[in-house]
Amino acid sequence: MELTPQMRRYIDLLPGRTMGGLTPNLYAVLAVVVVALQVCLIASLVVLLRTRREALLQKNAMLRALPDMMFLMSRDGIYLDYHARDSTDLLGPPSSFLGRNMREILPPDLVSRFEEAFARASEDPVLVEYVLPIGGGVRHYEARLVRCGSDEILSIVRDVSAQKLADDELAGALEHRVRSERVAALGELAATVAHEVKQPLSAILTNAQACIRYLSDPSRNLTRVQDALRDVVTEAIRATNVVDRTRELFRGREPLVRESLVIGQTIDTVLRSVRSRLQRAGIEVRIVLEPGLPSALGAEVQVQQVLVNLVLNAYDALMPVDPQARQITIAARLDHDSHILISVSDTGRGIAVADLETVFNPYFTTKEHGMGIGLTISRSIAEAHGGKLWATRNDAAGSTFWFTVPAAAVPMYRS
């Protein structure tokens, strides 16, 4: 084994030994001993450094835990002694308060709070939070009062101004966020109410204009006038129901009141409200109801709202196509003996495959003056009823929207 120059120097220092008088085995033993000594020395240094670092960290932690100020006071409020990290944290120099009563130093309202806390102080600390003007600003403090003996109180004071500022900033940020969310929610609610009210108002306007035309006609077909006025009443009731549901929502009540619905009658009601518009556009409407269809279970006004939205969407989709090809088909059948499946199909321009799901996103619209909220509301209503709402492309032309609503009761025999 070859010795390093450092090992040879250690061997030369051995008394009574010379390089020439050592055997190879002794060389190896000495080398191992030297290496072991070096390892032990390095390990000792590592342990020492670690111990010093831990001691330093502990010391810093203890320093951070030390209070900013401490005051030893008598039970009647006289300052006996004090400690302060920084004398600038004090209200004044020690000579201005030592030996004096806190009634001469502190504001009267704070003195009352301290006197009350002194009376409750025991071995368990009593917390007093207060504010004082220091250095041209306002500082926030926490004082923990502990009884010392029978006639002394130790007041341990921490300056929590930085923490208070951080808490205020966080509270301000949270308040701003809540306010922004409320504004956004209010805007969405306003859009929803506007969308829901616009449809019955449009129907009222259309029927009122029709009444004027009918009355201006020399023949004066009063039957048609009466039908139009009935539609006006129906749509006015719809608009009133929208406002009532909004009020109930703000009162924290559940707006969904389920009742038994005859789907055929619901579809007829919806078509009456938009009949004039469909007729003027030359749109053919087909209704296909499965024989023996059971009643549905849902809120009548909300189910009508979904169907009105779907029919008017079909109307908009048909406007760009040839008037001779404009057709809407409304069908209903029992689906899996638990839900009624209602579909509204059109022969219009159709929906792009990429938009079959996107059309239900808030504020997404393909209409020039659309609000992009109707289908979002409709899907919410469907889901609130325990149903679904989705769209598909037709093989020939146009699109179909599918809407499910729970069946109220399934007949034992169906034709």
Side-chain angles (χ1 to χ4, degrees):
M1 174 178 180
E2 175 130 9
L3 297 177
T4 64
Q6 187 178 10
M7 292 180 184
R8 291 182 183 276
R9 284 197 298 272
Y10 280 121
I11 294 172
D12 289 340
L13 294 175
L14 291 175
R17 296 290 183 180
T18 63
M19 292 296 294
L22 295 177
T23 64
N25 289 337
L26 187 55
Y27 278 128
V29 172
L30 290 174
V32 172
V33 171
V34 172
V35 171
L37 290 173
Q38 289 179 329
V39 170
C40 291
L41 180 60
I42 293 173
S44 299
L45 291 174
V46 170
V47 171
L48 179 60
L49 290 175
R50 181 179 300 171
T51 303
R52 291 184 60 185
R53 183 166 57 251
E54 291 177 353
L56 181 60
L57 292 174
Q58 185 177 8
K59 180 180 178 181
N60 290 336
M62 293 176 64
L63 289 175
R64 288 194 299 270
L66 287 175
D68 297 293
M69 292 173 286
M70 290 189 295
F71 299 96
L72 184 63
M73 307 174 69
S74 64
R75 272 193 174 274
D76 56 1
I78 297 176
Y79 288 93
L80 304 176
D81 201 355
Y82 83 100
H83 161 77
R85 286 189 188 181
D86 189 344
S87 59
T88 59
D89 293 336
L90 299 170
L91 274 174
S95 59
S96 66
F97 62 86
L98 285 178
R100 299 177 65 183
N101 195 289
M102 62 180 176
R103 297 187 186 91
E104 305 175 50
I105 309 298
L106 302 178
D109 58 336
L110 183 55
V111 170
S112 299
R113 293 176 58 195
F114 270 119
E115 288 178 340
E116 180 185 354
F118 279 15
R120 294 185 289 112
S122 63
E123 294 180 356
D124 296 326
V126 177
L127 178 64
V128 177
E129 298 178 356
Y130 60 98
V131 177
L132 283 177
I134 301 290
V138 176
R139 309 294 295 178
H140 296 262
Y141 298 96
E142 288 182 352
R144 284 172 169 80
L145 308 179
V146 183
R147 186 178 65 188
C148 297
S150 60
D151 196 38
E152 293 179 346
I153 299 291
L154 178 63
S155 175
I156 304 171
V157 181
R158 293 188 62 87
D159 187 338
V160 294
S161 300
Q163 178 182 344
K164 179 67 175 176
L165 178 61
D167 291 343
D168 290 345
E169 290 178 350
L170 178 60
L174 292 176
E175 183 180 356
H176 177 72
R177 178 180 176 182
V178 169
R179 189 184 302 112
S180 300
E181 290 176 351
R182 286 177 178 174
V183 170
L186 186 60
E188 185 174 348
L189 177 63
T192 301
V193 174
H195 182 274
E196 292 190 39
V197 173
K198 181 179 179 181
Q199 292 175 354
L201 291 181
S202 298
I204 290 173
L205 177 62
T206 300
N207 284 289
Q209 292 172 337
C211 286
I212 294 175
R213 291 198 305 273
Y214 297 153
L215 292 175
S216 300
D217 192 327
S219 63
R220 295 190 177 180
N221 190 333
L222 296 182
T223 300
R224 299 175 70 182
V225 174
Q226 290 175 347
D227 289 341
L229 289 176
R230 290 192 187 96
D231 290 343
V232 168
V233 173
T234 300
E235 295 306 318
I237 293 174
R238 277 188 62 207
T240 301
N241 288 336
V242 169
V243 176
D244 289 342
R245 289 202 316 273
T246 304
R247 293 176 60 190
E248 294 299 315
L249 178 63
F250 276 106
R251 291 175 181 173
R253 300 176 184 172
E254 175 58 52
L256 181 61
V257 179
R258 300 176 187 271
E259 55 188 321
S260 181
L261 305 177
V262 178
I263 291 300
Q265 295 178 1
T266 302
I267 293 174
D268 287 342
T269 301
V270 169
L271 290 179
R272 282 201 308 270
S273 67
V274 296
R275 178 179 54 194
S276 299
R277 185 181 303 188
L278 299 179
Q279 288 177 346
R280 288 198 306 271
I283 297 175
E284 177 188 356
V285 179
R286 295 177 61 245
I287 301 176
V288 182
L289 300 180
E290 183 181 38
L293 188 67
S295 299
L297 187 63
E300 182 176 11
V301 174
Q302 295 190 17
V303 173
Q304 289 177 3
Q305 179 184 346
V306 173
L307 290 175
V308 168
N309 279 333
L310 298 183
V311 170
L312 291 181
N313 280 346
Y315 167 87
D316 291 332
L318 289 169
M319 287 300 95
V321 305
D322 185 352
Q324 301 299 321
R326 296 173 180 173
Q327 185 180 85
I328 295 177
T329 301
I330 304 176
R333 61 180 174 85
L334 188 62
D335 184 40
H336 301 304
D337 289 341
S338 61
H339 284 73
I340 294 176
L341 177 62
I342 306 170
S343 61
V344 178
S345 180
D346 64 73
T347 56
R349 56 190 177 185
I351 302 175
V353 175
D355 293 336
L356 287 176
E357 185 62 28
T358 309
V359 292
F360 295 99
N361 293 342
Y363 310 116
F364 176 87
T365 181
T366 57
K367 306 173 187 177
E368 182 178 355
H369 301 291
M371 297 177 64
I373 198 72
L375 289 176
T376 303
I377 298 171
S378 297
R379 172 170 277 187
S380 298
I381 292 174
E383 292 175 349
H385 280 76
K388 299 178 181 178
L389 176 62
W390 71 98
T392 59
R393 285 177 56 87
N394 297 337
D395 293 335
S399 306
T400 299
F401 284 85
W402 308 84
F403 169 43
T404 63
V405 62
V410 181
M412 185 173 296
Y413 301 102
R414 298 168 56 227
S415 58

